[in-house]
Amino acid sequence: MDTIQFYAYPTDKVEGLDLLVDVDHHRPLLISPQDQEQLDRDWAERGYTRSAPIGTLSNVFFNTVTGETRLVYRLTEYKVYSGIAFPALPDTEEKLSPPLRASMRASAVGCAIETADGKIIAQRRKEGIIDGGRLDSGAAGMMVYDSAEGKLDWQQQALEKITRELNIMDHSQISSLVPRAAFSSRGPVHVPATKGYFTGGHSGMVGSLVQTALSYGQISDFFERTEVGEVIGINKSDLARFIIEQSRKDNKGLCGDGCATLLSTLPPDEFYQTVEKINSRESFRIQFGSLRNDAFIERLKRDFNKSGKI
């Protein structure tokens, strides 16, 4: 079962979060020599040479005076995430230390796309890739650390995913890009190459709502079929029902990240009603809480203040 942990969500009528994404350059992810040796072996098995720098979400802070939500990531590498989430060697998961696996919340972005004709775009992931065949938000992917700028730029990374997956090259067609939630998703990841599942796909994600001047028909005409299997247009009035129906226990429904991103676009009352229905189906386990030094501290819904943060 996928577990979704919400750290921030705008429960009042504001457009979105006042969000700051920060990097703790003085405290990278600590890896023991034994873990590093296993990760290096696992990476060599893949035959890759370069490993992109990414972040792992370690702290979420909320400023009660300014209303700002601050996400703090520690630096690591993609090969660390891949070794934890979908290892290439069968013994990697059992040999990596539990604290390292538990601390991985890889930097990522998810985008719910709202079209000019009032639909929310979801995508079905292309077969043959990780979690192929499952439903996801309109565009999503890893948030790569920009070494030249020294930052994780969630907005630029979101635009890059929209360009790559939906083939929206003209960014003037995007009228707004608003952060709606900060969350993590953990659950079984389907790995086609091994035909297996690994409990490890850990994200530390910014979920956003993207409004575009394009219609659903325009997007469905030219989305990038090398990246996406299918695009689906959902009427906004039907979105909650769609999320509930597609929160399934098989490998064809919504993935955890996609479920959380789409959920974050719902109005507050509908959001919580939908969460309760999903939890009652036991297809996802959705929790609310805070993140301090890599540790999730669960809170009940009533503990959220009016701005939706702990």
Side-chain angles (χ1 to χ4, degrees):
M1 179 190 300
D2 288 60
T3 297
I4 298 168
Q5 299 170 342
F6 276 100
Y7 311 121
Y9 166 73
T11 58
D12 52 21
K13 296 182 179 180
V14 298
E15 287 287 325
L17 300 176
D18 181 5
L19 185 69
L20 173 66
V21 174
D22 204 357
V23 177
D24 186 346
H25 292 94
H26 304 292
R27 200 169 66 97
L29 182 65
L30 295 177
I31 303 173
S32 70
Q34 295 82 0
D35 283 337
Q36 188 65 62
E37 181 180 356
Q38 183 64 33
L39 289 166
D40 289 343
R41 287 180 58 240
D42 196 88
W43 187 249
E45 180 69 14
R46 301 172 194 273
Y48 299 152
T49 54
R50 293 184 65 251
S51 173
I54 63 169
T56 177
L57 186 60
S58 60
N59 282 285
V60 179
F61 300 110
F62 175 60
N63 189 316
T64 56
V65 177
T66 65
E68 180 185 75
T69 299
R70 179 170 169 247
L71 310 184
V72 181
Y73 291 83
R74 294 194 283 166
L75 289 179
T76 185
E77 293 184 68
Y78 179 77
K79 74 174 181 180
V80 178
Y81 165 70
S82 65
I84 294 170
F86 43 95
L89 294 172
D91 62 344
T92 294
E93 186 172 14
E94 64 183 49
K95 286 189 175 181
L96 291 179
S97 62
L100 176 63
R101 296 202 307 270
S103 68
M104 176 52 66
R105 293 174 174 85
S107 52
V109 289
C111 306
I113 314 293
E114 182 177 347
T115 65
D117 50 348
K119 294 185 182 297
I120 300 293
I121 297 293
Q123 64 158 280
R124 189 172 297 281
R125 295 172 64 84
K126 189 182 68 170
E127 295 288 353
I129 64 173
I130 295 168
D131 266 349
R134 293 189 77 176
L135 291 168
D136 203 345
S137 60
M142 303 295 298
M143 183 173 16
V144 179
Y145 176 71
D146 187 334
S147 300
E149 296 292 330
K151 63 181 180 179
L152 287 163
D153 189 335
W154 78 266
Q155 293 168 306
Q156 183 59 41
Q157 291 289 298
L159 290 172
E160 191 274 331
K161 308 322 176 201
I162 293 168
T163 300
R164 186 187 70 203
E165 297 183 358
L166 300 181
N167 208 19
I168 300 176
M169 310 298 291
D170 182 3
H171 291 169
S172 68
Q173 299 283 1
I174 296 173
S175 54
S176 68
L177 173 56
V178 178
R180 291 287 302 176
F183 59 86
S184 293
S185 170
R186 296 166 176 249
V189 175
H190 181 223
V191 186
T194 61
K195 297 183 173 61
Y197 287 82
F198 296 93
T199 302
H202 302 339
S203 65
M205 182 171 274
V206 175
S208 62
L209 176 62
V210 180
Q211 294 178 313
T212 175
L214 299 171
S215 68
Y216 166 62
Q218 289 173 303
I219 291 176
S220 61
D221 280 344
F222 57 70
F223 73 91
E224 185 51 67
R225 286 168 175 79
T226 61
E227 297 285 340
V228 177
E230 176 188 11
V231 294
I232 301 165
I234 308 133
N235 291 326
K236 289 178 67 177
S237 59
D238 295 331
L239 182 59
R241 179 175 58 83
F242 175 86
I243 296 171
I244 293 167
E245 290 178 352
Q246 297 302 326
S247 296
R248 295 152 42 181
K249 296 181 181 180
D250 59 22
N251 63 341
K252 294 299 180 184
L254 279 163
C255 65
D257 288 335
C259 178
T261 299
L262 295 178
L263 269 172
S264 71
T265 69
L266 296 173
D269 288 345
E270 195 172 19
F271 169 85
Y272 284 120
Q273 291 168 6
T274 305
V275 166
E276 289 172 1
K277 289 179 180 178
I278 292 172
N279 278 339
S280 69
R281 290 163 60 101
E282 297 185 348
S283 47
F284 292 106
R285 182 186 181 198
I286 301 177
Q287 303 171 301
F288 300 92
S290 57
L291 187 65
R292 294 291 183 271
N293 297 320
D294 306 311
F296 176 68
I297 305 167
E298 187 173 7
R299 299 286 188 268
L300 298 178
K301 180 182 70 176
R302 65 174 178 265
D303 294 326
F304 266 46
N305 65 23
K306 291 183 179 179
S307 297
K309 299 94 176 175
I310 292 296

